[in-house]
Amino acid sequence: MSDKTFLVRLSEEEHQALQDLATAEHRSMQDVARLAIAERASRSRRHDEVHDALAEIMDRDSELLRRLAQ
């Protein structure tokens, strides 16, 4: 796996929030940022999985849902 470098410009408030989190969690600011990205990506994937499952249920049970709605 090759590491990539990405420059992020933060406002003073964002920088302070990142620094505060890093201090509170006894982590580096880089680790906190990387963890935040991983958590956001995971949440997005989970949202997509739930959406797909719901679409499948609605398609499969469309007749039942139609009758319940009456």
Side-chain angles (χ1 to χ4, degrees):
M1 177 177 124
S2 66
D3 291 336
K4 303 288 183 188
T5 300
F6 181 73
L7 175 66
V8 178
R9 297 189 195 287
L10 301 174
S11 68
E12 199 56 45
E13 293 81 20
E14 292 167 333
H15 181 268
Q16 188 62 53
L18 181 59
Q19 194 170 42
D20 291 347
L21 284 169
T23 299
E25 296 177 9
H26 304 287
R27 298 176 190 262
S28 69
M29 289 173 40
Q30 177 177 309
D31 284 345
V32 171
R34 291 172 66 188
L35 181 59
I37 292 167
E39 288 175 355
R40 176 67 172 86
S42 176
R43 194 168 48 243
S44 179
R45 281 190 301 272
R46 181 69 181 136
H47 177 269
D48 291 346
E49 290 169 359
V50 169
H51 181 270
D52 292 347
L54 181 57
E56 183 180 324
I57 290 167
M58 290 177 66
D59 185 50
R60 183 188 67 214
D61 297 335
S62 61
E63 177 60 22
L64 174 61
L65 293 169
R66 185 191 64 75
R67 286 189 280 155
L68 286 171
Q70 291 179 346

